[in-house]
Amino acid sequence: MTATEQTNEPGWRERHASTIRMARLYARTFRNNGSAMLGLGIITVFLLAVLLGPWIVPYPEDATGAINLANKLQPPSASHWFGTDEVGSDVFTRVVIGARVSLQIGLIVTGIAMFIGVPLGIIAGFVGGWVEEAIMRVTDVFLSVPGLILAIAIAGVLGPGIFNAMLALSLVWWPGYVRLIQAKTLSLKSAIYVDAARSIGAGRLRIVFVHILPNCLSPIIVKGSMDMGMAILGAASLGFLGLGAQPPYPEWGAMISVGRNYLPDWWWYSFFPGMAIFLTVLGFNLLGDGLRDILDPKGRE
Amino acid sequence: MEKPLLEIRDYRLNFNTFDGVYHALDGVNLSVVAGQSLGIVGETGCGKSVTVRNVLGLLPSPPADVISGEILYRGKDLLRVDQKEMQRIRGSEIAMIFQDPMTYLNPVFSIGTQMVDAIMAQQKSLPREQRKNKREARQHAIAMLEKVHLPNPEKQIDRYPHELSGGMRQRVLIAMALSGAPKLLIADEPTTALDVTIQAQILDLIAELVEDMGLSVILITHDLGVVAKICDRVAVMYAGQVVEYGSVDDVFTRPRHPYTEGLLRSIPHPGRPPESLSGIPGFLPNLLSPPKGCRFFERCPKALEKCRETPPRISRPEKGAEALCHLYSEERGDA
Amino acid sequence: MLSMFLKRSVLMLGMLLGLLVITFLISHVTPGDPAALAAGPDATTEMIEQIRTERGFDKPVIQQFFLYAFGILQGDFGTSIHTTHEVFDDIVAFFPATFELVVFSILIAILLGIPLGVISAVTQNSWIDNVIRIVCSSGVGLPMFWLGLMLQLYFGLQLGWFPLGGRLDLMTDPPMTITGLYLIDALLTLNFPVFLEALHHIILPAVALCFPALASIIRVNRAEMLETLTQDYIVNARAQGISVLRIIGLYALKNSILPTLALIGLRFGWMLGGTVLVESVFDWPGIGLYTVQAATASDFEPVMAATLVLGAWFMFANFLIDLLYGWMDPRVLKKG
């Protein structure tokens, strides 16, 4: 305890007693949920790989495609846990560094999708009328095209590359948020406390920022967590097809795309990046499921 | 005395809940004689519905946990019969209708489909040549709907539950329950969810069918007037126990248990000034940790000192109904 | 029912128009030069200019859209650079393969997913339920293309049970074309060896394609089933003496299948997107493979055409599911 905290009576703990109690309840619900804890565990490992990656990997220079032909296509061993690829780079190193790329992809894609989708959803739900009609119809059309196909089309126009792949995925991803937030806003708009706020003369913006946005937070967090995984999967799919990150960029999908040419004899080359995608997506999904159980129990599929 | 059709003996049942063991029923004793009807009254949460649900094995276990007792139907213990026998009894020996007609019909099947299905299921134990085929079952369903005075049964039978009003749905449920010609009908608050005018119609219907079909009925309600109108005997339940049990005349004119007295005082009566109305102060005891002595002790105006520590036993006063109360064991001196 | 059919039809036509606008925007209003895009990477300046006037890229945007839309309606999807055919002809040639794979795959997902969901719900918390749930949780995260590779590796190469790719062996003549679906055509022409061979070839790709959808169908059907089994009407059905099997298999299933149906509609999109991945893993000569080859060769018009076709297919599938929903749930009809 620091001195400033002691002089500050009643302490932080007392002033936030109810928040702490709620957090404790959430924590306990979450801890009792086995699969959510598994998800949290996987994501923790993933984040550790992101944070410590360059310092813990055995061959940092291999991340960007250093060439060491003497060591090419070595099976997994003590010095190369996941084996080596066709130019002799350490697959383990590249998979660990790939976590950074994936996190970046997940954050950017879901970030942009939220940035476009959430305001549109709130506007649609709150303003209503033809504005809502217009926004929702456009959203519906986007939602009724298979996402990956649309992303391929957009990536095809923009040309291959990790940046374009992220842009394409973001352009495909936002409608989901519009749908989610519009529905939530509609139900909140009719809620008692919004009526009360309106009756005491609160302005529209104030209602949006004080009453609606904070209440949309739970579903956004839950969907955001799941979408992190799905965006990583989407980017890996584009990478695999050759429309996303280009080798030797350490992106998991792109690694598999090269590695498949070396099947079946050099199976480790595509096996380990695939496991990485699988576990990461699984982790984010389980985490999202667990978060939904505590934050938004009624919002199941 | 006539041999009872259904007899519940020393029935104890707990619910294992998150917060601990909930002592829902504590030594319930009841019986219904063929052709008679029994009313069970008491406030919400006193265990009325729980008592009868397991007659047809309808309480999911867990959480329900039968501690002791038996439910004898013609000498057979329904708590211990196998799945197959229970299925045979359901609908064709004992039938049940429920509180909320809105939720007890399956929304995605038509009335006819559901009734025919029930009729087909109820005749499984009959010899093959006596069974109805689908068309006959449908005719029978229409006849049953007619019997419960559903207008236009030939048309209504093909409609879906959401197209009918609450009162009509309850009629359908009654027709469905009685289509297997059961001997005993258990009606679990059949009118609570309905409009007042409809309530009367449904009760008249039940009374009429009881007469017509020679049914025995167990009617669960919190409306004492309904019991007075339809039933021969009445059991008053409080906090998982039957506190008073006897003929309707005895219980309503000479109530023994202070709880029954309280209940009767809380009925509005056109002849008496509204000031004479009174409720019973206090709340039901928490059955996660039931009181040591009498369960009504906290709210009882006539409580004695011994009521705090010693649970009362059933006593049978000379005149009137039997009661679970120390006051009468005192009188007769057989505590 | 009829009014609902009409309503949904109008709605779907609107959506198709919207889809057309999207592909138009992507192909005509891109930051780069749409004419250069259409001409392909190796085109000379003259070729680009020729395409520009030929296809009206120099006209106002609105006019361009009408030209584009009428072109599409007449089946003019442009020309593929890498196959040198009309895109329309290519699509017609490749569509049956994709259709066969997707339909086969969704059938597996439904026919396995619904019973497994029911079994999982009925045996709640038993080891069977736990195994099913673990497999399902993992299923959603499995990258289809990687799963496909691993299936090839294990069942194709290691065990040698299944062929690695294609619709038939290289030396086999396809059955006479009636529907273009090898399984059906082989049956219709009573060509059983080819039927078995086609079946043999389709299993691995279909499994890879359906797995994520299968997992999510099981999950949702399990949850819905559990919810339905606690409903009052189930208690009533039991009180009527109806057998447990019938209650689960008929009464509860029909109620819980409705939300599952809605989910199947959604997941169908995963599968249509997934064909692109799975077809390129298994060398399945369908629209997906065609699209990928076109996209990586900067051959732009086939990609747009595939987007249109797969998008329209997805919309049509959901239209059918809407109708099915209305037919199964009488409450929907009333609301319209």
Side-chain angles (χ1 to χ4, degrees):
Chain A
M1 286 283 139
T2 58
T4 46
E5 227 173 301
Q6 275 166 358
T7 52
N8 243 349
E9 294 289 348
W12 185 88
R13 219 166 254 284
E14 281 74 26
R15 275 180 289 121
H16 296 273
S18 69
T19 319
I20 294 174
R21 254 204 316 278
M22 194 167 76
R24 277 218 193 100
L25 175 74
Y26 284 174
R28 196 175 50 196
T29 322
F30 198 87
R31 262 203 307 276
N32 288 337
N33 184 339
S35 58
M37 285 306 283
L38 178 65
L40 187 65
I42 294 173
I43 298 308
T44 308
V45 173
F46 173 76
L47 290 179
L48 281 178
V50 169
L51 284 177
L52 307 175
W55 292 277
I56 56 166
V57 293
Y59 308 94
E61 70 284 357
D62 287 2
T64 45
I67 294 176
N68 184 2
L69 289 173
N71 271 336
K72 75 173 188 182
L73 298 169
Q74 304 252 331
S77 65
S79 52
H80 297 284
W81 291 358
F82 293 175
T84 62
D85 65 14
E86 86 281 14
V87 292
S89 293
D90 180 46
V91 174
F92 177 70
T93 300
R94 291 174 56 78
V95 167
V96 171
I97 297 299
R100 300 194 136 204
V101 178
S102 291
L103 181 72
Q104 186 193 352
I105 293 168
L107 284 177
I108 291 180
V109 171
T110 40
I112 296 181
M114 282 181 193
F115 189 75
I116 304 176
V118 172
L120 281 178
I122 289 185
I123 291 170
F126 200 73
V127 177
W130 68 267
V131 178
E132 178 181 24
E133 203 51 35
I135 294 177
M136 293 321 289
R137 287 296 82 80
V138 173
T139 304
D140 283 347
V141 171
F142 269 90
L143 282 176
S144 62
V145 186
L148 188 61
I149 303 289
L150 197 54
I152 289 173
I154 298 174
V157 181
L158 298 175
I162 181 77
F163 178 77
N164 287 345
M166 288 193 284
L167 192 61
L169 286 171
S170 313
L171 288 178
V172 172
W173 228 276
W174 61 269
Y177 286 90
V178 179
R179 185 64 80 72
L180 180 78
I181 297 306
Q182 181 246 8
K184 187 80 189 166
T185 307
L186 274 183
S187 73
L188 284 170
K189 201 164 84 167
S190 57
I192 296 166
Y193 51 82
V194 172
D195 278 347
R198 194 175 290 161
S199 70
I200 60 169
R204 287 181 144 208
L205 269 183
R206 190 182 156 75
I207 291 175
V208 166
F209 280 102
V210 176
H211 296 287
I212 292 184
L213 204 54
N215 280 293
C216 290
L217 224 53
S218 305
I220 292 180
I221 291 173
V222 172
K223 186 171 164 56
S225 166
M226 304 224 165
D227 280 353
M228 285 287 291
M230 296 321 265
I232 291 172
L233 186 57
S237 303
L238 289 180
F240 173 76
L241 295 174
L243 295 169
Q246 298 295 306
Y249 200 75
E251 194 272 324
W252 294 333
M255 290 166 74
I256 298 175
S257 147
V258 182
R260 68 176 290 206
N261 298 322
Y262 295 89
L263 284 172
D265 294 333
W266 299 281
W267 56 269
W268 54 87
Y269 190 178
S270 41
F271 177 78
F272 290 106
M275 278 308 278
I277 302 173
F278 166 53
L279 288 176
T280 307
V281 179
L282 176 65
F284 278 113
N285 266 320
L286 293 179
L287 187 72
D289 256 351
L291 287 174
R292 173 158 54 197
D293 283 346
I294 47 179
L295 293 177
D296 187 28
K298 273 180 282 175
R300 302 198 137 264
E301 266 183 302
Chain B
M1 199 170 140
E2 216 178 324
K3 209 163 180 277
L5 185 67
L6 183 86
E7 193 175 9
I8 300 178
R9 280 194 201 148
D10 188 35
Y11 186 28
R12 274 166 227 271
L13 184 130
N14 292 347
F15 287 110
N16 298 323
T17 69
F18 231 53
D19 304 314
V21 177
Y22 184 89
H23 301 264
L25 295 180
D26 184 31
V28 171
N29 288 290
L30 287 172
S31 65
V32 189
V33 175
Q36 272 198 347
S37 44
L38 167 72
I40 303 180
V41 296
E43 54 199 292
T44 309
C46 71
K48 294 172 300 201
S49 297
V50 174
T51 306
V52 295
R53 280 265 162 134
N54 246 4
V55 170
L56 286 181
L58 294 179
L59 280 181
S61 167
D65 183 12
V66 176
I67 303 299
S68 74
E70 38 196 15
I71 299 178
L72 297 173
Y73 174 76
R74 296 181 155 170
K76 217 176 296 171
D77 185 356
L78 297 182
L79 288 175
R80 283 159 194 94
V81 298
D82 61 13
Q83 181 81 29
K84 217 173 146 199
E85 176 64 7
M86 181 53 89
Q87 241 167 58
R88 193 192 64 78
I89 289 172
R90 286 173 183 159
S92 39
E93 297 278 348
I94 305 175
M96 191 155 177
I97 53 178
F98 301 90
Q99 183 168 359
D100 189 352
M102 308 313 244
T103 59
Y104 279 90
L105 283 168
N106 196 322
V108 299
F109 292 95
S110 70
I111 306 297
T113 312
Q114 295 184 57
M115 287 190 72
V116 167
D117 216 43
I119 292 168
M120 300 303 276
Q122 286 154 5
Q123 55 181 3
K124 274 212 182 109
S125 56
L126 293 179
R128 196 164 287 277
E129 60 277 8
Q130 285 179 32
R131 291 188 209 166
K132 300 179 178 69
N133 62 25
K134 279 241 158 131
R135 186 139 45 88
E136 289 162 343
R138 189 181 152 90
Q139 285 310 312
H140 182 56
I142 292 175
M144 287 310 297
L145 290 175
E146 209 153 352
K147 201 161 190 162
V148 297
H149 309 304
L150 192 75
N152 261 331
E154 291 90 352
K155 270 218 184 93
Q156 308 274 31
I157 194 167
D158 291 320
R159 300 177 78 176
Y160 286 89
H162 69 270
E163 298 172 292
L164 305 182
S165 70
M168 283 156 95
R169 289 194 218 185
Q170 192 60 291
R171 284 177 198 271
V172 170
L173 280 163
I174 293 173
M176 201 166 167
L178 298 183
S179 57
K183 313 286 176 300
L184 175 65
L185 175 69
I186 298 172
D188 186 358
E189 306 210 30
T191 58
T192 310
L194 302 175
D195 288 348
V196 183
T197 46
I198 312 290
Q199 285 186 9
Q201 293 176 12
I202 295 290
L203 286 171
D204 286 341
L205 173 68
I206 292 176
E208 177 191 328
L209 292 168
V210 167
E211 190 96 341
D212 258 23
M213 304 178 65
L215 275 174
S216 303
V217 174
I218 298 179
L219 178 69
I220 294 174
T221 176
H222 47 241
D223 187 339
L224 298 176
V226 170
V227 173
K229 189 166 165 190
I230 293 186
C231 301
D232 306 301
R233 296 179 70 79
V234 59
V236 181
M237 286 192 72
Y238 181 79
Q241 297 174 320
V242 176
V243 294
E244 184 156 4
Y245 178 46
S247 75
V248 168
D249 275 349
D250 281 339
V251 173
F252 285 3
T253 52
R254 286 179 293 275
R256 292 293 167 159
H257 198 283
Y259 178 64
T260 317
E261 285 174 15
L263 272 187
L264 289 168
R265 259 202 309 277
S266 62
I267 307 174
H269 194 282
R272 272 181 264 149
E275 295 84 61
S276 69
L277 260 183
S278 62
I280 306 171
F283 302 97
L284 279 168
N286 181 358
L287 295 182
L288 285 171
S289 49
K292 237 199 225 154
C294 175
R295 290 190 169 184
F296 190 55
F297 173 76
E298 288 286 332
R299 302 166 76 179
C300 184
K302 298 179 178 173
L304 308 169
E305 199 39 49
K306 71 196 271 191
C307 301
R308 182 192 296 276
E309 295 294 329
T310 329
R313 278 196 271 161
I314 290 278
S315 48
R316 294 185 177 73
E318 305 285 323
K319 278 209 166 148
E322 52 190 62
L324 189 71
C325 185
H326 282 303
L327 284 175
Y328 305 99
S329 46
E330 198 81 332
E331 275 177 13
R332 290 168 44 98
D334 61 1
Chain C
M1 194 79 197
L2 186 71
S3 80
M4 180 174 130
F5 176 81
L6 291 175
K7 231 183 219 167
R8 294 292 144 100
S9 305
V10 171
L11 212 66
M12 187 176 67
L13 285 180
M15 301 281 267
L16 284 172
L17 188 67
L19 176 62
L20 214 54
V21 173
I22 290 184
T23 51
F24 171 76
L25 288 178
I26 296 176
S27 57
H28 289 64
V29 195
T30 45
D33 179 359
L37 212 60
D42 304 325
T44 59
T45 325
E46 283 150 40
M47 281 162 75
I48 295 177
E49 286 316 313
Q50 189 192 342
I51 284 192
R52 192 187 309 283
T53 41
E54 212 174 77
R55 323 208 84 212
F57 286 123
D58 46 358
K59 301 207 167 65
V61 174
I62 299 291
Q63 201 179 342
Q64 278 188 47
F65 177 72
F66 281 108
L67 278 175
Y68 173 75
F70 283 119
I72 297 284
L73 286 179
Q74 287 160 8
D76 175 15
F77 291 92
T79 316
S80 162
I81 298 164
H82 81 284
T83 64
T84 67
H85 299 148
E86 289 274 305
V87 173
F88 182 81
D89 296 337
D90 279 345
I91 295 271
V92 169
F94 291 125
F95 184 78
T98 301
F99 186 79
E100 186 170 38
L101 178 62
V102 168
V103 170
F104 193 81
S105 187
I106 193 90
L107 283 179
I108 297 182
I110 294 172
L111 294 181
L112 275 183
I114 288 172
L116 284 178
V118 172
I119 290 172
S120 192
V122 174
T123 60
Q124 194 190 3
N125 293 331
S126 71
W127 67 268
I128 301 178
D129 180 35
N130 286 331
V131 169
I132 293 178
R133 280 165 70 192
I134 291 168
V135 173
C136 288
S137 307
S138 349
V140 179
L142 266 181
M144 260 182 220
F145 54 92
W146 183 73
L147 176 65
L149 289 175
M150 293 300 125
L151 289 176
Q152 267 182 343
L153 194 61
Y154 189 71
F155 291 100
L157 288 166
Q158 191 87 8
L159 299 176
W161 288 356
F162 294 98
L164 293 178
R167 296 176 79 186
L168 289 173
D169 291 340
L170 278 178
M171 312 307 278
T172 312
D173 289 327
M176 197 175 82
T177 304
I178 301 171
T179 59
L181 313 177
Y182 286 180
L183 286 173
I184 307 271
D185 287 351
L187 274 187
L188 288 179
T189 54
L190 304 178
N191 192 347
F192 296 111
V194 170
F195 173 77
L196 289 179
E197 198 179 310
L199 191 65
H200 202 196
H201 279 77
I202 204 172
I203 286 180
L204 283 190
V207 168
L209 185 57
C210 82
F211 202 77
L214 172 67
S216 90
I217 289 173
I218 294 176
R219 270 171 57 152
V220 167
N221 201 41
R222 174 183 183 275
E224 291 299 330
M225 195 75 190
L226 283 177
E227 163 103 27
T228 310
L229 284 174
T230 62
Q231 297 293 314
D232 287 341
Y233 49 79
I234 297 298
V235 175
N236 184 45
R238 288 179 65 202
Q240 303 301 329
I242 293 168
S243 72
V244 178
L245 263 180
R246 199 170 168 80
I247 288 177
I248 291 169
L250 185 73
Y251 281 62
L253 189 60
K254 189 166 175 189
N255 285 279
S256 66
I257 226 169
L258 288 166
T260 312
L261 205 56
L263 179 90
I264 292 172
L266 239 79
R267 290 300 171 257
F268 195 66
W270 283 9
M271 300 186 88
L272 289 178
T275 50
V276 176
L277 300 165
V278 170
E279 285 182 12
S280 63
V281 169
F282 286 93
D283 240 342
W284 189 265
I287 294 186
L289 188 59
Y290 176 61
T291 311
V292 175
Q293 284 168 350
T296 42
S298 298
D299 180 7
F300 193 61
E301 298 195 303
V303 179
M304 286 296 104
T307 308
L308 269 176
V309 170
L310 294 177
W313 188 2
F314 188 37
M315 286 177 187
F316 186 66
N318 276 297
F319 167 73
L320 287 183
I321 282 179
D322 271 356
L323 291 187
L324 193 61
Y325 207 109
W327 175 66
M328 282 181 69
D329 189 346
R331 289 165 298 183
V332 176
L333 273 189
K334 218 176 176 190
K335 280 182 252 158

Coordinates of all heavy atoms in Angstrom, one line a residue, chain C residues 90-121:
Chain C
D90 N -17.4 -21.0 -69.0 CA -16.6 -21.7 -67.9 C -17.4 -22.0 -66.7 O -17.4 -23.0 -66.1 CB -15.5 -20.7 -67.5 CG -14.3 -20.8 -68.5 OD1 -14.3 -21.8 -69.2 OD2 -13.4 -19.9 -68.4
I91 N -18.2 -21.0 -66.3 CA -19.1 -21.1 -65.1 C -20.0 -22.3 -65.3 O -20.2 -23.2 -64.4 CB -19.9 -19.9 -64.8 CG1 -18.9 -18.7 -64.4 CG2 -20.9 -20.1 -63.7 CD1 -18.5 -18.6 -63.0
V92 N -20.6 -22.4 -66.4 CA -21.6 -23.5 -66.7 C -20.8 -24.8 -66.6 O -21.3 -25.8 -66.1 CB -22.2 -23.3 -68.1 CG1 -23.0 -24.6 -68.5 CG2 -23.2 -22.1 -68.1
A93 N -19.6 -24.8 -67.1 CA -18.8 -26.1 -67.1 C -18.4 -26.5 -65.7 O -18.4 -27.6 -65.3 CB -17.6 -25.9 -68.0
F94 N -18.1 -25.5 -64.8 CA -17.5 -25.8 -63.5 C -18.6 -25.9 -62.4 O -18.3 -26.5 -61.4 CB -16.5 -24.8 -63.1 CG -15.2 -24.8 -64.0 CD1 -14.7 -23.7 -64.6 CD2 -14.5 -26.0 -64.1 CE1 -13.6 -23.8 -65.4 CE2 -13.4 -26.1 -64.8 CZ -12.9 -25.0 -65.5
F95 N -19.7 -25.3 -62.7 CA -20.7 -25.2 -61.6 C -21.2 -26.6 -61.1 O -21.2 -26.8 -59.8 CB -21.9 -24.4 -62.1 CG -23.0 -24.2 -61.0 CD1 -22.8 -23.3 -60.0 CD2 -24.1 -25.0 -61.0 CE1 -23.7 -23.1 -59.0 CE2 -25.0 -24.9 -60.0 CZ -24.8 -23.9 -59.0
P96 N -21.5 -27.6 -61.9 CA -22.0 -28.9 -61.4 C -21.0 -29.5 -60.4 O -21.5 -30.0 -59.4 CB -22.1 -29.8 -62.6 CG -22.3 -28.8 -63.7 CD -21.4 -27.6 -63.4
A97 N -19.7 -29.4 -60.6 CA -18.7 -30.0 -59.7 C -18.9 -29.4 -58.3 O -19.0 -30.1 -57.3 CB -17.3 -29.8 -60.2
T98 N -19.0 -28.0 -58.3 CA -19.1 -27.3 -57.0 C -20.5 -27.7 -56.3 O -20.5 -27.9 -55.1 CB -19.0 -25.8 -57.2 OG1 -17.7 -25.6 -57.8 CG2 -19.1 -25.1 -55.9
F99 N -21.5 -27.7 -57.2 CA -22.8 -28.0 -56.7 C -22.9 -29.3 -56.0 O -23.3 -29.5 -54.9 CB -23.8 -27.9 -57.8 CG -25.3 -28.0 -57.4 CD1 -25.9 -26.9 -56.8 CD2 -25.9 -29.2 -57.5 CE1 -27.2 -27.0 -56.4 CE2 -27.2 -29.4 -57.0 CZ -27.9 -28.2 -56.5
E100 N -22.3 -30.3 -56.7 CA -22.3 -31.7 -56.1 C -21.5 -31.7 -54.8 O -22.0 -32.3 -53.8 CB -21.6 -32.6 -57.1 CG -21.6 -34.0 -56.7 CD -21.1 -35.0 -57.9 OE1 -20.2 -34.6 -58.6 OE2 -21.7 -36.0 -58.0
L101 N -20.4 -31.1 -54.7 CA -19.6 -31.1 -53.5 C -20.3 -30.4 -52.4 O -20.4 -30.9 -51.2 CB -18.2 -30.4 -53.8 CG -17.3 -30.2 -52.6 CD1 -16.9 -31.6 -52.1 CD2 -16.1 -29.4 -53.0
V102 N -20.9 -29.2 -52.6 CA -21.5 -28.4 -51.6 C -22.8 -29.2 -51.1 O -23.0 -29.3 -49.9 CB -21.9 -27.0 -52.1 CG1 -22.8 -26.3 -51.1 CG2 -20.6 -26.2 -52.2
V103 N -23.6 -29.7 -52.0 CA -24.8 -30.3 -51.6 C -24.5 -31.6 -50.8 O -25.1 -31.8 -49.7 CB -25.7 -30.6 -52.8 CG1 -26.9 -31.5 -52.4 CG2 -26.2 -29.4 -53.4
F104 N -23.5 -32.4 -51.3 CA -23.1 -33.6 -50.6 C -22.7 -33.2 -49.2 O -23.0 -33.9 -48.2 CB -22.0 -34.3 -51.4 CG -21.7 -35.7 -50.9 CD1 -22.5 -36.7 -51.3 CD2 -20.7 -35.9 -50.0 CE1 -22.2 -38.0 -50.9 CE2 -20.4 -37.2 -49.6 CZ -21.2 -38.3 -50.1
S105 N -21.9 -32.2 -49.1 CA -21.3 -31.8 -47.8 C -22.4 -31.2 -46.8 O -22.4 -31.6 -45.7 CB -20.3 -30.7 -48.2 OG -19.6 -30.3 -47.1
I106 N -23.3 -30.4 -47.3 CA -24.3 -29.9 -46.4 C -25.3 -31.1 -46.0 O -25.7 -31.1 -44.8 CB -25.2 -28.8 -47.0 CG1 -26.0 -28.0 -46.0 CG2 -26.1 -29.2 -48.1 CD1 -25.3 -26.9 -45.4
L107 N -25.4 -32.1 -46.8 CA -26.2 -33.2 -46.4 C -25.5 -33.9 -45.3 O -26.2 -34.3 -44.3 CB -26.5 -34.2 -47.6 CG -27.5 -33.7 -48.6 CD1 -27.7 -34.7 -49.7 CD2 -28.9 -33.5 -47.9
I108 N -24.2 -34.1 -45.4 CA -23.5 -34.8 -44.3 C -23.7 -33.9 -43.0 O -24.0 -34.5 -41.9 CB -22.0 -34.9 -44.6 CG1 -21.7 -35.7 -45.8 CG2 -21.2 -35.4 -43.4 CD1 -20.3 -35.9 -46.1
A109 N -23.5 -32.6 -43.1 CA -23.6 -31.7 -42.0 C -25.0 -31.9 -41.3 O -25.1 -32.0 -40.1 CB -23.3 -30.3 -42.3
I110 N -26.0 -31.9 -42.1 CA -27.4 -32.0 -41.5 C -27.7 -33.3 -41.0 O -28.1 -33.5 -39.8 CB -28.4 -31.6 -42.6 CG1 -28.3 -30.1 -43.0 CG2 -29.8 -31.8 -42.0 CD1 -29.1 -29.7 -44.1
L111 N -27.4 -34.4 -41.8 CA -27.8 -35.7 -41.4 C -27.0 -36.2 -40.2 O -27.4 -37.0 -39.4 CB -27.6 -36.7 -42.6 CG -28.6 -36.4 -43.7 CD1 -28.4 -37.4 -44.8 CD2 -30.0 -36.4 -43.2
L112 N -25.7 -35.7 -40.0 CA -25.0 -36.1 -38.8 C -25.2 -35.1 -37.7 O -25.3 -35.5 -36.6 CB -23.5 -36.1 -39.2 CG -22.9 -37.3 -39.8 CD1 -21.4 -37.2 -39.9 CD2 -23.2 -38.5 -38.8
G113 N -25.3 -33.8 -38.1 CA -25.3 -32.8 -37.1 C -26.6 -32.8 -36.2 O -26.5 -32.7 -35.0
I114 N -27.7 -33.0 -36.8 CA -29.0 -33.0 -36.0 C -29.1 -34.2 -35.1 O -29.3 -34.0 -33.9 CB -30.2 -32.8 -36.9 CG1 -30.2 -31.4 -37.4 CG2 -31.5 -33.1 -36.2 CD1 -31.2 -31.1 -38.5
P115 N -28.9 -35.4 -35.5 CA -28.9 -36.5 -34.6 C -27.8 -36.4 -33.5 O -28.1 -36.6 -32.3 CB -28.6 -37.8 -35.4 CG -28.9 -37.4 -36.8 CD -28.7 -35.9 -36.9
L116 N -26.6 -36.0 -33.9 CA -25.6 -35.9 -32.8 C -25.9 -34.8 -31.8 O -25.7 -35.0 -30.6 CB -24.2 -35.6 -33.5 CG -23.5 -36.8 -34.1 CD1 -22.2 -36.3 -34.8 CD2 -23.3 -37.8 -33.1
G117 N -26.5 -33.7 -32.3 CA -27.0 -32.7 -31.3 C -28.0 -33.2 -30.4 O -28.0 -33.0 -29.2
V118 N -28.9 -34.0 -30.9 CA -30.0 -34.6 -30.0 C -29.4 -35.6 -29.0 O -29.6 -35.5 -27.8 CB -31.0 -35.3 -30.9 CG1 -32.0 -36.1 -30.0 CG2 -31.8 -34.4 -31.8
I119 N -28.5 -36.4 -29.5 CA -27.8 -37.4 -28.6 C -27.1 -36.7 -27.5 O -27.1 -37.0 -26.4 CB -26.9 -38.3 -29.4 CG1 -27.7 -39.2 -30.3 CG2 -26.0 -39.1 -28.5 CD1 -26.9 -40.0 -31.3
S120 N -26.4 -35.6 -27.9 CA -25.6 -34.9 -27.0 C -26.5 -34.3 -25.9 O -26.2 -34.3 -24.7 CB -24.8 -33.8 -27.7 OG -23.9 -33.2 -26.9
A121 N -27.6 -33.7 -26.3 CA -28.5 -33.1 -25.4 C -29.2 -34.2 -24.5 O -29.3 -33.9 -23.2 CB -29.6 -32.4 -26.1

